[in-house]
Amino acid sequence: MRHNKKFNHLGRTADHRRAMLANMAISLIMHKRITTTLAKAKALKKYVEPLITRSKDDSTNSRRVVFSYLQNKEALKELFGVIAPKVADRPGGYTRVIKLGFRQGDAAPTAFIELVDFDENMAKEAKAAKRTRRSRKSAPKAEAAVEAPVAEEAQAEAPAEEA
């Protein structure tokens, strides 16, 4: 029976699966976004999020534990040096999986997985949305600002006539 065996085996042996997830985690850490199948992206999310949580505590033991999973010094430097400080205040949910559609050859559902704090496009869209709101709110103020100098000019002309 398969009671309480919920993770996806991905059609691979345990060693192959472990190596594949480690390689994908290294690629995700180095490139901040990778494209893969939906099943692999979901499996990678469960694999890499505990490593990112572990990297928040920069100790020798944490580095050794993460290195035992990744076996890549450059990825370890990137994780502890760049990623960990940026996600230090985040309580979890370091990755985002977005579905892309189906692959041409075998119709496999594809997705990309990315680190949430490193998505420049989403950050730009969020800033653009804020600017749009501000411009709508500031549009009446801009009209008032245009009318204000006209009123000031009228007041400036009036004392000149009196004097």
Side-chain angles (χ1 to χ4, degrees), residues 3 6 18 29 43 51 56 68 76 85 92 105 107 118 130 142:
H3 293 298
K6 294 184 180 178
R18 197 172 300 121
I29 289 167
L51 298 179
K56 288 167 140 186
S68 72
L76 199 71
F118 289 88
K130 288 180 184 176

Side-chain angles (χ1 to χ4, degrees), residues 42-59:
K42 288 179 178 179
L44 179 60
K45 184 171 185 153
K46 286 188 173 188
Y47 185 86
V48 80
E49 292 219 358
L51 298 179
I52 296 173
T53 301
R54 177 71 74 158
S55 73
K56 288 167 140 186
D57 173 33
D58 191 3
S59 64

Side-chain angles (χ1 to χ4, degrees), residues 32-101:
K32 312 300 187 267
R33 174 190 285 183
I34 58 173
T35 303
T36 183
T37 64
L38 184 60
K40 287 180 190 174
K42 288 179 178 179
L44 179 60
K45 184 171 185 153
K46 286 188 173 188
Y47 185 86
V48 80
E49 292 219 358
L51 298 179
I52 296 173
T53 301
R54 177 71 74 158
S55 73
K56 288 167 140 186
D57 173 33
D58 191 3
S59 64
T60 304
N61 185 53
S62 295
R63 284 180 176 266
R64 286 179 176 171
V65 169
V66 173
F67 184 74
S68 72
Y69 282 89
L70 297 181
Q71 298 290 317
N72 187 307
K73 289 182 182 179
E74 288 78 26
L76 199 71
K77 288 177 189 174
E78 184 78 12
L79 181 61
F80 280 88
V82 177
I83 296 172
K86 200 158 186 180
V87 298
D89 58 342
R90 183 178 286 275
Y94 312 110
T95 59
R96 173 188 301 130
V97 176
I98 298 180
K99 297 176 184 177
L100 294 177

